[in-house]
Every structure is written in structure tokens, then in C-alpha cells.
Amino acid sequence: MHVLILGGTSEARRLAEILAAQAPDLTVTSSLAGRVTAPRLPPGEVRIGGFGGAGGLADWLGAHHVDALIDATHPFAATISFNAAEAAATAHVPLLALRRPGWVAGDGDVWHEAGSLEEAAALLPALGRRVFLTTGRMGLAAFAALADLWFLVRSVDAPEPPWPPRMEVLLDRGPFTLDGERELLRRHRIDVVVTKDSGGAATAPKLTAAREAGVSVVVVRRPPVPVGVPEATGPGQAARWLGTLLELGVFLDSD
Ligand code: NAP
């Protein structure tokens, strides 16, 4: 039996770990896009780089006799999710999307929704002068015209221009702590945070820190997902789906 996990998230890695521990006879291949210079690698086989669109992915599924496909990519990686849906249908391979739930505003949160990075940039001048930008190294061009604002840009790898003229880069990757996020907001006198609605615990402490400090947060909404694809919200649920599908035995307590 062969499972292909489209990865690039901590949930994808965790699913590969669960399968390695509980279904050692299963061949698990994790696929990464190759965006990060030194990715944290999951157990099992790993392949890196694009497939060449939905057709290329369908060919790969057939050539490697894949029995199940898990789309565990980031909620903002929309192209690969649509490719996965099309390829799975073409190759007649069962597909599950592993998607962490989005964040929900709570009491005391001052959130502003944006439909895109460009919309987020348009909101900023009315919200603050010192911006903590946590949307990743891609897409900084959307903020490049905001010459009056100062940006703290946090990303895993160094960004590339175009970028805002007044900017400091902080290279780091989650999980982040609440104390660390409080300190960042304080030290850099941040008055607005920009985030994608990535969901998950690893990067959520910035939202708590912003709430405590009364700092506004611009939340970029998720892109649409392909319809008709069954979903799991966590790696344990995805493992149980595979367990049933491939008759691997029961995956209990596997989150
Ligand atoms: P995307 O826009 O949906 O995909 C662009 C192209 O990259 C796809 O068409 C595909 O190329 C290739 N690709 C994407 N994910 C792949 C994977 N797991 N394995 C092999 N090829 C992949 O994706 P993206 O937003 O650039 O994200 C790239 C990767 O970074 C994803 O794996 C995602 O999980 C991870 N990530 C993204 C974000 C984010 O905010 N977008 C945040 C954290 C992690 P082909 O068409 O040639 O197959």
C-alpha cells in the first residue's frame, strides 16, 4: 500500500510520524514544494519539487501505484489543493484534505478581515504605523508602496524584493511562545499585526499577545477550496480515515 502526503505543514509531518509508528508496512511518501531551504523532514520517503500541474500529479499517482492521497498542504496553498482534487479524480485515487480549522476571534480581539494581501495593505494606514507582518516571505510586494509605515517581517527564509522601504527582517519559524510574542510586540512598539488565517496552535500566540496589548490584527481570509473533498481537521483523524480505507487496523489516540 502506498500513501502520498502533500505536505509543507506540521500536520503533514505529524501524520507521517503516526503512520510510520502504527503502520510500518505502509509506504508513505511526503511531497514538499521545495520553498524552504532546510525543511524539517518527516519519516518515510520524501520527494521535493512540483509535479507539473494536475496532469503531472495524476501521472505520478499512477506510476507510483498510490492507493490514497492526503492533501495536507497549508490552507493558503490553493493551487496544489485544486490540482490534488483534479488529479485524484483523473487517477481514481481516494483523496482526503487535512485542514486545520481557522482561527476565531474572541473577547477583546480587534480583528479586521481582508480578502487578500492587497486588501490587508490598504487597511494598514488607518490602523497603525509599526506593523508586524507574519504572512511569509512571498507577497511582500503588496506592502511595498507603504513608505510611511515601518514593518517587522518574520519569515522562515529571507524574503526577496520588492518589499516595503522601511523594514526589518526576523528569520524564525514556529512554534512561537506567548512570552516571546509579547516581548516582540513590546520591543518593536508594534501597533498592528498582519496574519493569514492559517489556524493551528504553533503561530496562535501572536493573536493572544495582540489581544492583551490592545493591538489591531488584520486577518487575511482563506482562499476557496475544491468542493466535494472529504476533510479531516487533524492528523489523527486523517490516520483513522486511512486506517478504514486501507484496512490497516485501528488508529486509536493518534493525534
Ligand atoms: P501553491 O501556490 O498551492 O502551489 C504552487 C505550485 O507549487 C503547485 O502548483 C505545485 O507545482 C507546487 N507545490 C505546492 N505544494 C506542493 C507540494 N506539497 N509538493 C509538491 N509540489 C507542490 O503552494 P504555495 O502557497 O506556494 O505553497 C508551497 C508549499 O508551502 C505547500 O506545500 C504548502 O503546504 C507550504 N506552505 C505554504 C504556505 C502559504 O502561506 N502559502 C505557508 C506554509 C507552508 P506543480 O503544479 O508543478 O505540481
mmCIF file of all heavy atoms in Angstrom, residues 5-9 30-36 47-54 56-57 71-83 100 135-136 138 196 198, ligand 1:
data_model
loop_
_atom_site.group_PDB
_atom_site.id
_atom_site.type_symbol
_atom_site.label_atom_id
_atom_site.label_comp_id
_atom_site.label_asym_id
_atom_site.label_seq_id
_atom_site.Cartn_x
_atom_site.Cartn_y
_atom_site.Cartn_z
ATOM 1 N N ILE A 5 1.434 11.942 0.768
ATOM 2 C CA ILE A 5 1.009 13.104 1.569
ATOM 3 C C ILE A 5 1.594 14.356 0.926
ATOM 4 O O ILE A 5 2.821 14.479 0.816
ATOM 5 C CB ILE A 5 1.528 13.003 3.025
ATOM 6 C CG1 ILE A 5 1.039 11.716 3.700
ATOM 7 C CG2 ILE A 5 1.096 14.227 3.827
ATOM 8 C CD1 ILE A 5 1.650 11.478 5.091
ATOM 9 N N LEU A 6 0.723 15.251 0.494
ATOM 10 C CA LEU A 6 1.194 16.562 0.028
ATOM 11 C C LEU A 6 1.386 17.414 1.267
ATOM 12 O O LEU A 6 0.429 17.676 1.999
ATOM 13 C CB LEU A 6 0.163 17.188 -0.920
ATOM 14 C CG LEU A 6 -0.165 16.353 -2.163
ATOM 15 C CD1 LEU A 6 -1.334 16.968 -2.924
ATOM 16 C CD2 LEU A 6 1.060 16.218 -3.057
ATOM 17 N N GLY A 7 2.625 17.819 1.520
ATOM 18 C CA GLY A 7 2.954 18.358 2.836
ATOM 19 C C GLY A 7 3.354 19.818 2.837
ATOM 20 O O GLY A 7 2.847 20.624 2.070
ATOM 21 N N GLY A 8 4.278 20.130 3.728
ATOM 22 C CA GLY A 8 4.700 21.519 3.924
ATOM 23 C C GLY A 8 4.072 22.120 5.163
ATOM 24 O O GLY A 8 4.101 23.331 5.341
ATOM 25 N N THR A 9 3.496 21.267 6.026
ATOM 26 C CA THR A 9 2.868 21.726 7.271
ATOM 27 C C THR A 9 3.284 20.793 8.415
ATOM 28 O O THR A 9 3.711 19.660 8.170
ATOM 29 C CB THR A 9 1.325 21.674 7.160
ATOM 30 O OG1 THR A 9 0.947 20.315 6.874
ATOM 31 C CG2 THR A 9 0.789 22.584 6.069
ATOM 32 N N SER A 30 6.101 11.626 1.447
ATOM 33 C CA SER A 30 5.712 13.020 1.689
ATOM 34 C C SER A 30 6.295 13.867 0.572
ATOM 35 O O SER A 30 7.459 13.709 0.203
ATOM 36 C CB SER A 30 6.251 13.506 3.038
ATOM 37 O OG SER A 30 5.654 12.789 4.088
ATOM 38 N N SER A 31 5.461 14.774 0.065
ATOM 39 C CA SER A 31 5.902 15.639 -1.025
ATOM 40 C C SER A 31 5.991 17.080 -0.547
ATOM 41 O O SER A 31 5.048 17.609 0.051
ATOM 42 C CB SER A 31 4.904 15.548 -2.182
ATOM 43 O OG SER A 31 5.254 16.478 -3.179
ATOM 44 N N LEU A 32 7.123 17.714 -0.799
ATOM 45 C CA LEU A 32 7.323 19.118 -0.437
ATOM 46 C C LEU A 32 7.553 19.923 -1.704
ATOM 47 O O LEU A 32 8.150 19.434 -2.669
ATOM 48 C CB LEU A 32 8.538 19.262 0.489
ATOM 49 C CG LEU A 32 8.528 18.423 1.763
ATOM 50 C CD1 LEU A 32 9.834 18.599 2.533
ATOM 51 C CD2 LEU A 32 7.348 18.824 2.640
ATOM 52 N N ALA A 33 7.106 21.193 -1.667
ATOM 53 C CA ALA A 33 7.245 22.037 -2.855
ATOM 54 C C ALA A 33 8.693 22.448 -3.089
ATOM 55 O O ALA A 33 9.089 22.734 -4.223
ATOM 56 C CB ALA A 33 6.364 23.274 -2.710
ATOM 57 N N GLY A 34 9.476 22.523 -2.009
ATOM 58 C CA GLY A 34 10.865 22.953 -2.144
ATOM 59 C C GLY A 34 11.064 24.432 -1.913
ATOM 60 O O GLY A 34 12.070 25.007 -2.329
ATOM 61 N N ARG A 35 10.106 25.078 -1.219
ATOM 62 C CA ARG A 35 10.215 26.523 -0.974
ATOM 63 C C ARG A 35 11.203 26.853 0.143
ATOM 64 O O ARG A 35 11.815 27.892 0.144
ATOM 65 C CB ARG A 35 8.856 27.102 -0.559
ATOM 66 C CG ARG A 35 7.759 26.934 -1.546
ATOM 67 C CD ARG A 35 7.831 27.951 -2.677
ATOM 68 N NE ARG A 35 6.592 27.902 -3.427
ATOM 69 C CZ ARG A 35 6.321 26.989 -4.353
ATOM 70 N NH1 ARG A 35 7.241 26.102 -4.674
ATOM 71 N NH2 ARG A 35 5.158 26.982 -4.976
ATOM 72 N N VAL A 36 11.314 25.936 1.132
ATOM 73 C CA VAL A 36 12.124 26.209 2.317
ATOM 74 C C VAL A 36 13.500 25.572 2.133
ATOM 75 O O VAL A 36 13.606 24.421 1.688
ATOM 76 C CB VAL A 36 11.414 25.651 3.582
ATOM 77 C CG1 VAL A 36 12.270 25.810 4.815
ATOM 78 C CG2 VAL A 36 10.069 26.342 3.763
ATOM 79 N N ARG A 47 9.850 13.335 -1.390
ATOM 80 C CA ARG A 47 10.197 13.868 -2.707
ATOM 81 C C ARG A 47 9.991 15.385 -2.672
ATOM 82 O O ARG A 47 9.116 15.873 -1.949
ATOM 83 C CB ARG A 47 9.362 13.215 -3.824
ATOM 84 C CG ARG A 47 7.887 13.540 -3.697
ATOM 85 C CD ARG A 47 7.090 13.311 -4.945
ATOM 86 N NE ARG A 47 7.556 14.044 -6.102
ATOM 87 C CZ ARG A 47 7.404 15.353 -6.285
ATOM 88 N NH1 ARG A 47 6.827 16.107 -5.367
ATOM 89 N NH2 ARG A 47 7.820 15.940 -7.391
ATOM 90 N N ILE A 48 10.817 16.091 -3.424
ATOM 91 C CA ILE A 48 10.769 17.560 -3.345
ATOM 92 C C ILE A 48 10.648 18.151 -4.750
ATOM 93 O O ILE A 48 11.356 17.738 -5.666
ATOM 94 C CB ILE A 48 12.032 18.112 -2.640
ATOM 95 C CG1 ILE A 48 12.052 17.602 -1.190
ATOM 96 C CG2 ILE A 48 12.057 19.643 -2.663
ATOM 97 C CD1 ILE A 48 13.206 18.079 -0.348
ATOM 98 N N GLY A 49 9.696 19.108 -4.895
ATOM 99 C CA GLY A 49 9.510 19.812 -6.165
ATOM 100 C C GLY A 49 8.125 19.563 -6.742
ATOM 101 O O GLY A 49 7.439 18.612 -6.359
ATOM 102 N N GLY A 50 7.714 20.454 -7.659
ATOM 103 C CA GLY A 50 6.388 20.349 -8.261
ATOM 104 C C GLY A 50 6.249 19.101 -9.132
ATOM 105 O O GLY A 50 7.239 18.461 -9.504
ATOM 106 N N PHE A 51 4.980 18.793 -9.461
ATOM 107 C CA PHE A 51 4.679 17.617 -10.284
ATOM 108 C C PHE A 51 4.466 18.009 -11.744
ATOM 109 O O PHE A 51 4.377 17.155 -12.607
ATOM 110 C CB PHE A 51 3.410 16.928 -9.768
ATOM 111 C CG PHE A 51 3.536 16.342 -8.404
ATOM 112 C CD1 PHE A 51 3.210 17.075 -7.270
ATOM 113 C CD2 PHE A 51 4.015 15.042 -8.237
ATOM 114 C CE1 PHE A 51 3.330 16.536 -6.006
ATOM 115 C CE2 PHE A 51 4.140 14.492 -6.969
ATOM 116 C CZ PHE A 51 3.798 15.243 -5.852
ATOM 117 N N GLY A 52 4.314 19.310 -11.987
ATOM 118 C CA GLY A 52 3.969 19.748 -13.330
ATOM 119 C C GLY A 52 2.454 19.796 -13.514
ATOM 120 O O GLY A 52 1.931 19.255 -14.490
ATOM 121 N N GLY A 53 1.771 20.444 -12.559
ATOM 122 C CA GLY A 53 0.318 20.617 -12.664
ATOM 123 C C GLY A 53 -0.463 19.373 -12.304
ATOM 124 O O GLY A 53 0.108 18.340 -11.921
ATOM 125 N N ALA A 54 -1.814 19.484 -12.462
ATOM 126 C CA ALA A 54 -2.702 18.372 -12.087
ATOM 127 C C ALA A 54 -2.398 17.125 -12.914
ATOM 128 O O ALA A 54 -2.431 16.000 -12.404
ATOM 129 C CB ALA A 54 -4.160 18.791 -12.264
ATOM 130 N N GLY A 56 0.482 16.218 -14.238
ATOM 131 C CA GLY A 56 1.735 15.620 -13.754
ATOM 132 C C GLY A 56 1.515 14.850 -12.461
ATOM 133 O O GLY A 56 2.071 13.762 -12.265
ATOM 134 N N LEU A 57 0.666 15.411 -11.593
ATOM 135 C CA LEU A 57 0.374 14.727 -10.324
ATOM 136 C C LEU A 57 -0.411 13.434 -10.585
ATOM 137 O O LEU A 57 -0.127 12.388 -9.988
ATOM 138 C CB LEU A 57 -0.395 15.671 -9.389
ATOM 139 C CG LEU A 57 -0.829 15.106 -8.042
ATOM 140 C CD1 LEU A 57 0.336 14.481 -7.275
ATOM 141 C CD2 LEU A 57 -1.482 16.212 -7.190
ATOM 142 N N ASP A 71 -4.121 15.542 0.995
ATOM 143 C CA ASP A 71 -3.706 16.928 0.769
ATOM 144 C C ASP A 71 -3.579 17.598 2.134
ATOM 145 O O ASP A 71 -4.559 18.053 2.704
ATOM 146 C CB ASP A 71 -4.743 17.654 -0.098
ATOM 147 C CG ASP A 71 -4.459 19.149 -0.187
ATOM 148 O OD1 ASP A 71 -3.328 19.561 0.149
ATOM 149 O OD2 ASP A 71 -5.383 19.898 -0.583
ATOM 150 N N ALA A 72 -2.347 17.609 2.650
ATOM 151 C CA ALA A 72 -2.110 18.222 3.969
ATOM 152 C C ALA A 72 -1.328 19.514 3.799
ATOM 153 O O ALA A 72 -0.527 19.886 4.661
ATOM 154 C CB ALA A 72 -1.359 17.243 4.869
ATOM 155 N N THR A 73 -1.549 20.190 2.675
ATOM 156 C CA THR A 73 -0.827 21.440 2.432
ATOM 157 C C THR A 73 -1.447 22.573 3.244
ATOM 158 O O THR A 73 -2.544 22.440 3.805
ATOM 159 C CB THR A 73 -0.839 21.801 0.933
ATOM 160 O OG1 THR A 73 -2.201 21.893 0.494
ATOM 161 C CG2 THR A 73 -0.107 20.756 0.112
ATOM 162 N N HIS A 74 -0.743 23.688 3.271
ATOM 163 C CA HIS A 74 -1.186 24.857 4.028
ATOM 164 C C HIS A 74 -2.507 25.390 3.455
ATOM 165 O O HIS A 74 -2.717 25.333 2.239
ATOM 166 C CB HIS A 74 -0.085 25.931 3.935
ATOM 167 C CG HIS A 74 -0.274 27.084 4.839
ATOM 168 N ND1 HIS A 74 -0.990 28.202 4.475
ATOM 169 C CD2 HIS A 74 0.155 27.296 6.101
ATOM 170 C CE1 HIS A 74 -0.984 29.059 5.482
ATOM 171 N NE2 HIS A 74 -0.295 28.541 6.482
ATOM 172 N N PRO A 75 -3.397 25.919 4.323
ATOM 173 C CA PRO A 75 -4.699 26.406 3.818
ATOM 174 C C PRO A 75 -4.570 27.478 2.733
ATOM 175 O O PRO A 75 -5.510 27.707 1.982
ATOM 176 C CB PRO A 75 -5.367 27.007 5.066
ATOM 177 C CG PRO A 75 -4.618 26.478 6.237
ATOM 178 C CD PRO A 75 -3.278 26.019 5.778
ATOM 179 N N PHE A 76 -3.416 28.154 2.640
ATOM 180 C CA PHE A 76 -3.253 29.187 1.603
ATOM 181 C C PHE A 76 -2.565 28.644 0.347
ATOM 182 O O PHE A 76 -2.340 29.409 -0.594
ATOM 183 C CB PHE A 76 -2.502 30.402 2.175
ATOM 184 C CG PHE A 76 -3.413 31.284 2.977
ATOM 185 C CD1 PHE A 76 -3.809 30.916 4.257
ATOM 186 C CD2 PHE A 76 -3.921 32.463 2.449
ATOM 187 C CE1 PHE A 76 -4.684 31.709 4.991
ATOM 188 C CE2 PHE A 76 -4.794 33.264 3.176
ATOM 189 C CZ PHE A 76 -5.177 32.884 4.450
ATOM 190 N N ALA A 77 -2.247 27.369 0.331
ATOM 191 C CA ALA A 77 -1.648 26.767 -0.865
ATOM 192 C C ALA A 77 -2.783 26.251 -1.753
ATOM 193 O O ALA A 77 -3.055 25.051 -1.833
ATOM 194 C CB ALA A 77 -0.686 25.647 -0.469
ATOM 195 N N ALA A 78 -3.461 27.166 -2.427
ATOM 196 C CA ALA A 78 -4.712 26.819 -3.112
ATOM 197 C C ALA A 78 -4.475 26.058 -4.401
ATOM 198 O O ALA A 78 -5.246 25.148 -4.744
ATOM 199 C CB ALA A 78 -5.509 28.096 -3.396
ATOM 200 N N THR A 79 -3.436 26.398 -5.130
ATOM 201 C CA THR A 79 -3.221 25.770 -6.447
ATOM 202 C C THR A 79 -3.036 24.266 -6.302
ATOM 203 O O THR A 79 -3.662 23.471 -7.014
ATOM 204 C CB THR A 79 -1.977 26.382 -7.129
ATOM 205 O OG1 THR A 79 -2.136 27.791 -7.156
ATOM 206 C CG2 THR A 79 -1.807 25.867 -8.537
ATOM 207 N N ILE A 80 -2.191 23.880 -5.361
ATOM 208 C CA ILE A 80 -1.903 22.445 -5.217
ATOM 209 C C ILE A 80 -3.152 21.692 -4.737
ATOM 210 O O ILE A 80 -3.376 20.547 -5.129
ATOM 211 C CB ILE A 80 -0.679 22.207 -4.289
ATOM 212 C CG1 ILE A 80 -0.251 20.749 -4.289
ATOM 213 C CG2 ILE A 80 -0.918 22.696 -2.886
ATOM 214 C CD1 ILE A 80 0.427 20.262 -5.519
ATOM 215 N N SER A 81 -3.996 22.354 -3.931
ATOM 216 C CA SER A 81 -5.214 21.674 -3.467
ATOM 217 C C SER A 81 -6.180 21.411 -4.630
ATOM 218 O O SER A 81 -6.786 20.330 -4.706
ATOM 219 C CB SER A 81 -5.913 22.498 -2.383
ATOM 220 O OG SER A 81 -5.123 22.506 -1.220
ATOM 221 N N PHE A 82 -6.319 22.384 -5.530
ATOM 222 C CA PHE A 82 -7.169 22.159 -6.708
ATOM 223 C C PHE A 82 -6.545 21.112 -7.632
ATOM 224 O O PHE A 82 -7.242 20.269 -8.204
ATOM 225 C CB PHE A 82 -7.447 23.476 -7.436
ATOM 226 C CG PHE A 82 -8.559 24.267 -6.802
ATOM 227 C CD1 PHE A 82 -8.299 25.210 -5.811
ATOM 228 C CD2 PHE A 82 -9.882 24.036 -7.154
ATOM 229 C CE1 PHE A 82 -9.328 25.914 -5.197
ATOM 230 C CE2 PHE A 82 -10.924 24.737 -6.548
ATOM 231 C CZ PHE A 82 -10.641 25.676 -5.570
ATOM 232 N N ASN A 83 -5.207 21.152 -7.747
ATOM 233 C CA ASN A 83 -4.519 20.127 -8.562
ATOM 234 C C ASN A 83 -4.744 18.739 -7.976
ATOM 235 O O ASN A 83 -4.940 17.764 -8.706
ATOM 236 C CB ASN A 83 -3.011 20.412 -8.622
ATOM 237 C CG ASN A 83 -2.674 21.594 -9.515
ATOM 238 O OD1 ASN A 83 -3.550 22.133 -10.185
ATOM 239 N ND2 ASN A 83 -1.417 22.000 -9.511
ATOM 240 N N ARG A 100 -6.380 22.220 9.049
ATOM 241 C CA ARG A 100 -6.603 22.711 10.413
ATOM 242 C C ARG A 100 -7.681 23.803 10.376
ATOM 243 O O ARG A 100 -7.743 24.588 9.421
ATOM 244 C CB ARG A 100 -5.309 23.263 10.986
ATOM 245 C CG ARG A 100 -4.663 24.307 10.118
ATOM 246 C CD ARG A 100 -3.429 24.901 10.747
ATOM 247 N NE ARG A 100 -2.208 24.293 10.302
ATOM 248 C CZ ARG A 100 -1.130 24.971 9.883
ATOM 249 N NH1 ARG A 100 -1.147 26.296 9.859
ATOM 250 N NH2 ARG A 100 -0.050 24.354 9.492
ATOM 251 N N THR A 135 2.921 37.219 7.238
ATOM 252 C CA THR A 135 2.266 36.498 6.140
ATOM 253 C C THR A 135 3.265 35.725 5.280
ATOM 254 O O THR A 135 2.895 35.197 4.237
ATOM 255 C CB THR A 135 1.466 37.487 5.261
ATOM 256 O OG1 THR A 135 2.298 38.610 4.958
ATOM 257 C CG2 THR A 135 0.239 37.972 5.992
ATOM 258 N N GLY A 136 4.516 35.669 5.701
ATOM 259 C CA GLY A 136 5.504 34.886 4.952
ATOM 260 C C GLY A 136 6.308 35.750 4.003
ATOM 261 O O GLY A 136 6.002 36.916 3.770
ATOM 262 N N MET A 138 6.745 35.445 0.765
ATOM 263 C CA MET A 138 6.143 35.708 -0.542
ATOM 264 C C MET A 138 5.068 36.786 -0.346
ATOM 265 O O MET A 138 4.411 36.823 0.673
ATOM 266 C CB MET A 138 5.476 34.458 -1.117
ATOM 267 C CG MET A 138 6.251 33.169 -0.942
ATOM 268 S SD MET A 138 7.721 33.068 -1.955
ATOM 269 C CE MET A 138 7.030 32.479 -3.472
ATOM 270 N N LYS A 196 -2.149 35.726 7.972
ATOM 271 C CA LYS A 196 -3.123 34.902 7.254
ATOM 272 C C LYS A 196 -3.918 34.123 8.292
ATOM 273 O O LYS A 196 -3.403 33.849 9.384
ATOM 274 C CB LYS A 196 -2.397 33.906 6.343
ATOM 275 C CG LYS A 196 -1.650 34.545 5.196
ATOM 276 C CD LYS A 196 -0.858 33.483 4.443
ATOM 277 C CE LYS A 196 -0.208 34.084 3.209
ATOM 278 N NZ LYS A 196 0.710 33.128 2.548
ATOM 279 N N SER A 198 -4.150 31.208 9.166
ATOM 280 C CA SER A 198 -3.519 29.898 8.993
ATOM 281 C C SER A 198 -4.115 28.867 9.941
ATOM 282 O O SER A 198 -4.135 27.680 9.634
ATOM 283 C CB SER A 198 -2.013 30.014 9.235
ATOM 284 O OG SER A 198 -1.453 30.903 8.307
HETATM 285 P P1 NAP B 1 0.557 26.644 -4.268
HETATM 286 O O1 NAP B 1 0.549 28.057 -4.716
HETATM 287 O O2 NAP B 1 -0.725 25.981 -3.974
HETATM 288 O O3 NAP B 1 1.303 25.714 -5.328
HETATM 289 C C1 NAP B 1 2.088 26.210 -6.390
HETATM 290 C C2 NAP B 1 2.798 25.036 -7.031
HETATM 291 O O4 NAP B 1 3.808 24.533 -6.132
HETATM 292 C C3 NAP B 1 1.884 23.855 -7.285
HETATM 293 O O5 NAP B 1 1.173 24.019 -8.484
HETATM 294 C C4 NAP B 1 2.885 22.724 -7.306
HETATM 295 O O6 NAP B 1 3.621 22.718 -8.513
HETATM 296 C C5 NAP B 1 3.868 23.117 -6.231
HETATM 297 N N1 NAP B 1 3.545 22.555 -4.924
HETATM 298 C C6 NAP B 1 2.873 23.124 -3.891
HETATM 299 N N2 NAP B 1 2.836 22.324 -2.836
HETATM 300 C C7 NAP B 1 3.490 21.208 -3.183
HETATM 301 C C8 NAP B 1 3.814 20.007 -2.503
HETATM 302 N N3 NAP B 1 3.447 19.801 -1.214
HETATM 303 N N4 NAP B 1 4.517 19.065 -3.191
HETATM 304 C C9 NAP B 1 4.902 19.276 -4.474
HETATM 305 N N5 NAP B 1 4.643 20.399 -5.150
HETATM 306 C C10 NAP B 1 3.954 21.347 -4.526
HETATM 307 O O7 NAP B 1 1.514 26.495 -2.995
HETATM 308 P P2 NAP B 1 2.312 27.596 -2.140
HETATM 309 O O8 NAP B 1 1.338 28.502 -1.475
HETATM 310 O O9 NAP B 1 3.409 28.158 -2.992
HETATM 311 O O10 NAP B 1 2.923 26.648 -1.019
HETATM 312 C C11 NAP B 1 4.000 25.803 -1.315
HETATM 313 C C12 NAP B 1 4.193 24.837 -0.163
HETATM 314 O O11 NAP B 1 4.468 25.565 1.027
HETATM 315 C C13 NAP B 1 2.985 23.960 0.098
HETATM 316 O O12 NAP B 1 3.433 22.632 0.202
HETATM 317 C C14 NAP B 1 2.416 24.465 1.419
HETATM 318 O O13 NAP B 1 1.923 23.419 2.218
HETATM 319 C C15 NAP B 1 3.615 25.144 2.053
HETATM 320 N N6 NAP B 1 3.235 26.331 2.848
HETATM 321 C C16 NAP B 1 2.557 27.346 2.232
HETATM 322 C C17 NAP B 1 2.188 28.459 2.967
HETATM 323 C C18 NAP B 1 1.401 29.579 2.353
HETATM 324 O O14 NAP B 1 1.079 30.546 3.077
HETATM 325 N N7 NAP B 1 1.048 29.520 1.078
HETATM 326 C C19 NAP B 1 2.533 28.537 4.334
HETATM 327 C C20 NAP B 1 3.238 27.480 4.916
HETATM 328 C C21 NAP B 1 3.583 26.392 4.160
HETATM 329 P P3 NAP B 1 3.192 21.785 -9.744
HETATM 330 O O15 NAP B 1 1.981 22.426 -10.340
HETATM 331 O O16 NAP B 1 4.398 21.822 -10.641
HETATM 332 O O17 NAP B 1 2.906 20.425 -9.199
#
